[in-house]
mmCIF file of all heavy atoms in Angstrom:
data_model
loop_
_atom_site.group_PDB
_atom_site.id
_atom_site.type_symbol
_atom_site.label_atom_id
_atom_site.label_comp_id
_atom_site.label_asym_id
_atom_site.label_seq_id
_atom_site.Cartn_x
_atom_site.Cartn_y
_atom_site.Cartn_z
ATOM 1 N N SER A 339 106.274 97.456 88.498
ATOM 2 C CA SER A 339 107.586 97.745 87.926
ATOM 3 C C SER A 339 108.031 99.086 88.478
ATOM 4 O O SER A 339 107.330 100.090 88.334
ATOM 5 C CB SER A 339 107.482 97.816 86.402
ATOM 6 O OG SER A 339 108.535 98.619 85.897
ATOM 7 N N ILE A 340 109.189 99.114 89.133
ATOM 8 C CA ILE A 340 109.686 100.369 89.701
ATOM 9 C C ILE A 340 110.058 101.323 88.570
ATOM 10 O O ILE A 340 109.871 102.527 88.669
ATOM 11 C CB ILE A 340 110.888 100.093 90.643
ATOM 12 C CG1 ILE A 340 110.402 99.278 91.853
ATOM 13 C CG2 ILE A 340 111.557 101.390 91.094
ATOM 14 C CD1 ILE A 340 111.497 98.798 92.784
ATOM 15 N N THR A 341 110.535 100.771 87.469
ATOM 16 C CA THR A 341 110.961 101.584 86.332
ATOM 17 C C THR A 341 109.782 102.245 85.616
ATOM 18 O O THR A 341 109.765 103.457 85.422
ATOM 19 C CB THR A 341 111.731 100.704 85.312
ATOM 20 O OG1 THR A 341 112.647 99.883 86.028
ATOM 21 C CG2 THR A 341 112.483 101.564 84.316
ATOM 22 N N SER A 342 108.790 101.441 85.245
ATOM 23 C CA SER A 342 107.697 101.984 84.424
ATOM 24 C C SER A 342 106.493 102.442 85.246
ATOM 25 O O SER A 342 105.644 103.171 84.752
ATOM 26 C CB SER A 342 107.229 100.920 83.426
ATOM 27 O OG SER A 342 106.509 99.897 84.111
ATOM 28 N N GLY A 343 106.413 101.994 86.485
ATOM 29 C CA GLY A 343 105.272 102.371 87.310
ATOM 30 C C GLY A 343 104.037 101.506 87.079
ATOM 31 O O GLY A 343 103.044 101.629 87.788
ATOM 32 N N LYS A 344 104.106 100.603 86.104
ATOM 33 C CA LYS A 344 102.967 99.707 85.852
ATOM 34 C C LYS A 344 102.725 98.812 87.061
ATOM 35 O O LYS A 344 103.673 98.348 87.688
ATOM 36 C CB LYS A 344 103.265 98.804 84.652
ATOM 37 C CG LYS A 344 103.121 99.494 83.321
ATOM 38 C CD LYS A 344 103.445 98.531 82.183
ATOM 39 C CE LYS A 344 103.512 99.287 80.866
ATOM 40 N NZ LYS A 344 104.110 98.481 79.798
ATOM 41 N N GLU A 345 101.460 98.550 87.368
ATOM 42 C CA GLU A 345 101.210 97.636 88.477
ATOM 43 C C GLU A 345 99.890 96.898 88.324
ATOM 44 O O GLU A 345 99.001 97.327 87.584
ATOM 45 C CB GLU A 345 101.275 98.361 89.823
ATOM 46 C CG GLU A 345 100.187 99.369 90.082
ATOM 47 C CD GLU A 345 100.290 99.917 91.510
ATOM 48 O OE1 GLU A 345 101.404 100.088 92.008
ATOM 49 O OE2 GLU A 345 99.233 100.174 92.112
ATOM 50 N N THR A 346 99.800 95.766 89.021
ATOM 51 C CA THR A 346 98.552 95.009 88.988
ATOM 52 C C THR A 346 98.385 94.208 90.273
ATOM 53 O O THR A 346 99.365 93.814 90.901
ATOM 54 C CB THR A 346 98.498 94.053 87.769
ATOM 55 O OG1 THR A 346 97.214 93.418 87.747
ATOM 56 C CG2 THR A 346 99.557 92.964 87.846
ATOM 57 N N TYR A 347 97.136 94.014 90.656
ATOM 58 C CA TYR A 347 96.846 93.123 91.776
ATOM 59 C C TYR A 347 97.035 91.681 91.325
ATOM 60 O O TYR A 347 96.626 91.316 90.220
ATOM 61 C CB TYR A 347 95.387 93.275 92.222
ATOM 62 C CG TYR A 347 95.134 94.415 93.157
ATOM 63 C CD1 TYR A 347 94.828 95.681 92.665
ATOM 64 C CD2 TYR A 347 95.199 94.232 94.535
ATOM 65 C CE1 TYR A 347 94.587 96.749 93.527
ATOM 66 C CE2 TYR A 347 94.956 95.288 95.401
ATOM 67 C CZ TYR A 347 94.654 96.542 94.894
ATOM 68 O OH TYR A 347 94.417 97.582 95.752
ATOM 69 N N LEU A 348 97.636 90.865 92.183
ATOM 70 C CA LEU A 348 97.677 89.422 91.940
ATOM 71 C C LEU A 348 96.626 88.763 92.828
ATOM 72 O O LEU A 348 95.960 87.815 92.443
ATOM 73 C CB LEU A 348 99.066 88.863 92.270
ATOM 74 C CG LEU A 348 100.219 89.351 91.383
ATOM 75 C CD1 LEU A 348 101.544 88.814 91.902
ATOM 76 C CD2 LEU A 348 100.015 88.921 89.942
ATOM 77 N N VAL A 349 96.524 89.300 94.049
ATOM 78 C CA VAL A 349 95.532 88.813 95.010
ATOM 79 C C VAL A 349 94.864 90.041 95.617
ATOM 80 O O VAL A 349 95.539 91.016 95.943
ATOM 81 C CB VAL A 349 96.211 87.986 96.137
ATOM 82 C CG1 VAL A 349 95.189 87.574 97.192
ATOM 83 C CG2 VAL A 349 96.910 86.759 95.570
ATOM 84 N N LYS A 350 93.550 90.021 95.715
ATOM 85 C CA LYS A 350 92.827 91.147 96.314
ATOM 86 C C LYS A 350 91.851 90.588 97.341
ATOM 87 O O LYS A 350 91.009 89.758 97.005
ATOM 88 C CB LYS A 350 92.090 91.933 95.232
ATOM 89 C CG LYS A 350 91.635 93.308 95.696
ATOM 90 C CD LYS A 350 91.183 94.163 94.520
ATOM 91 C CE LYS A 350 90.924 95.595 94.977
ATOM 92 N NZ LYS A 350 90.640 96.476 93.837
ATOM 93 N N CYS A 351 91.994 91.037 98.576
ATOM 94 C CA CYS A 351 91.153 90.544 99.673
ATOM 95 C C CYS A 351 91.124 89.013 99.698
ATOM 96 O O CYS A 351 90.079 88.401 99.909
ATOM 97 C CB CYS A 351 89.748 91.110 99.565
ATOM 98 S SG CYS A 351 89.727 92.907 99.648
ATOM 99 N N GLY A 352 92.283 88.420 99.473
ATOM 100 C CA GLY A 352 92.401 86.965 99.550
ATOM 101 C C GLY A 352 92.007 86.236 98.285
ATOM 102 O O GLY A 352 92.202 85.027 98.165
ATOM 103 N N GLU A 353 91.459 86.975 97.327
ATOM 104 C CA GLU A 353 91.025 86.313 96.098
ATOM 105 C C GLU A 353 92.090 86.418 95.012
ATOM 106 O O GLU A 353 92.605 87.499 94.718
ATOM 107 C CB GLU A 353 89.721 86.941 95.592
ATOM 108 C CG GLU A 353 89.022 86.071 94.558
ATOM 109 C CD GLU A 353 87.886 86.803 93.859
ATOM 110 O OE1 GLU A 353 87.414 87.826 94.401
ATOM 111 O OE2 GLU A 353 87.493 86.367 92.771
#
Side-chain angles (χ1 to χ4, degrees):
Chain A
S339 155
I340 295 173
T341 315
S342 72
K344 283 180 189 167
E345 67 174 36
T346 184
Y347 277 89
L348 295 175
V349 176
K350 196 168 188 173
C351 300
E353 196 191 341

